[in-house]
Amino acid sequence: MCIRDSNSFARPEPFVFTEKKRAAKKGDEVYHFISYIPFKGKVYELDGLQEGPILLGEYTNEVDWIEVAKIEIQKRIEKYAANEIGFNLMAICQNKEVQATQDLRQQSLRLYKALITLKGKEGSQLNQLQEAQLNELSKEFNENDLKAGESFQNNTIEQLNQQILSIQHEIERQRAIIADEQRKMAYYKVENARRRHNYIPFIVELLKLSAKKGVLSNLVETARQKKKEKSQQSQQLKKEENK
């Protein structure tokens, strides 16, 4: 369970006050992070307002550590009123792109081993795609990589071709995951820049120019009318729902 203590996406303020912020007092809402972690068979709570880690309990192979942490998390949630959202619950997990990159390398090594094995089989011949893949993988892996891990030596030519096809499909799947994650990160970067940008100076200048050209009053009246119509539509929908 994590409680955010600051918000870098907060709405920009049109005026900045230079007065010093007072220190938090008892009763003030102080937001911070609280983390729950497993360590050597025990579950700890890490609270920035406490003097040190708090031992919550122990876990085993039969009891997942999350079950131990969940009890304490539930206690904290119950402290809040039913209609209040005073916390954000987040889980820290591995970056999908990092995981997919690791899986891609692992599958690429498997493909390299399978192709080397198939090429060495009597009566077998690599097709054009397999030759191209082997040449490319030879730049990334070497004979030392062949010694550890999975071996394909006992497989028949037919089995090797089937496994190679399966590995090729898995490689394409991992590449698709990586490409999708990269697209998402690029989108998030643009979206975050927009959320952080201060549009207030632009709005102020727009209002000034509108007033100077004599169209501001009409724009305000139009906006009021739209708001009124929207409010009436909302009230009408509520009436129909209550019937």
Side-chain angles (χ1 to χ4, degrees), residues 113-122 124-126 130 156-158 160-161 164:
K113 288 180 178 181
L115 289 172
I116 287 287
T117 304
L118 180 62
K119 189 174 183 179
K121 289 282 185 181
E122 185 178 352
S124 68
Q125 184 176 2
L126 301 184
Q130 291 172 340
T156 65
I157 294 176
E158 183 180 355
L160 282 168
N161 279 314
I164 287 171

Side-chain angles (χ1 to χ4, degrees), residues 11-238:
R11 182 179 299 174
E13 295 293 340
F15 305 103
V16 178
F17 298 95
T18 57
E19 63 182 31
K20 293 182 180 179
K21 294 182 178 180
R22 66 173 178 82
K25 297 180 180 179
K26 186 176 181 180
D28 287 348
E29 290 185 348
V30 181
Y31 294 95
H32 63 290
F33 286 103
I34 301 173
S35 301
Y36 298 90
I37 63 168
F39 183 72
K40 294 185 177 180
K42 302 182 187 301
V43 181
Y44 293 91
E45 177 184 280
L46 304 181
D47 187 341
L49 299 182
Q50 302 299 327
E51 294 182 357
I54 300 173
L55 177 61
L56 298 179
E58 299 182 357
Y59 67 96
T60 62
N61 293 333
E62 290 75 26
V63 180
D64 191 78
W65 74 270
I66 295 178
E67 294 300 319
V68 179
K70 189 163 64 174
I71 297 172
E72 184 62 28
I73 293 173
Q74 189 63 41
K75 288 180 182 178
R76 286 187 173 273
I77 292 175
E78 289 172 355
K79 290 181 180 179
Y80 296 93
N83 60 345
E84 180 185 1
I85 304 177
F87 58 88
N88 289 321
L89 187 62
M90 298 179 287
I92 299 175
C93 57
Q94 188 172 24
N95 186 307
K96 283 187 178 181
E97 184 180 351
V98 173
Q99 182 62 55
T101 301
Q102 294 174 354
D103 291 343
L104 175 60
R105 178 173 174 78
Q106 182 182 6
Q107 294 300 325
S108 297
L109 177 57
R110 292 185 69 226
L111 179 60
Y112 179 64
K113 288 180 178 181
L115 289 172
I116 287 287
T117 304
L118 180 62
K119 189 174 183 179
K121 289 282 185 181
E122 185 178 352
S124 68
Q125 184 176 2
L126 301 184
N127 59 38
Q128 188 174 359
L129 174 61
Q130 291 172 340
E131 282 285 1
Q133 288 179 323
L134 182 57
N135 290 335
E136 190 66 28
L137 291 170
S138 298
K139 300 175 184 177
E140 184 177 356
F141 303 104
N142 52 49
E143 291 184 2
N144 292 330
D145 296 310
L146 296 174
K147 298 176 182 178
E150 185 178 4
S151 174
F152 296 91
Q153 293 295 335
N154 297 327
N155 294 28
T156 65
I157 294 176
E158 183 180 355
Q159 288 173 333
L160 282 168
N161 279 314
Q162 291 176 349
Q163 287 174 317
I164 287 171
L165 186 60
S166 176
I167 295 170
Q168 288 171 338
H169 288 162
E170 182 60 23
I171 286 174
E172 290 304 314
R173 191 177 76 87
Q174 297 302 329
R175 285 175 176 167
I177 292 173
I178 293 171
D180 185 56
E181 288 300 306
Q182 290 175 344
R183 282 193 296 269
K184 285 197 295 186
M185 291 303 110
Y187 171 78
Y188 293 157
K189 185 177 180 180
V190 174
E191 185 66 18
N192 290 343
R194 289 173 176 169
R195 293 173 67 183
R196 287 190 177 102
H197 185 73
N198 184 2
Y199 290 95
I200 292 173
F202 166 75
I203 295 171
V204 171
E205 284 301 313
L206 180 62
L207 293 173
K208 285 181 180 179
L209 289 173
S210 299
K212 187 176 181 180
K213 292 184 177 182
V215 297
L216 181 59
S217 58
N218 291 335
L219 290 173
V220 171
E221 186 58 35
T222 301
R224 286 176 176 170
Q225 186 61 33
K226 286 183 178 180
K227 183 179 179 181
K228 183 179 179 181
E229 291 174 357
K230 188 175 181 179
S231 177
Q232 291 174 345
Q233 290 175 357
S234 178
Q235 291 176 1
Q236 183 62 32
L237 287 173
K238 288 181 180 180

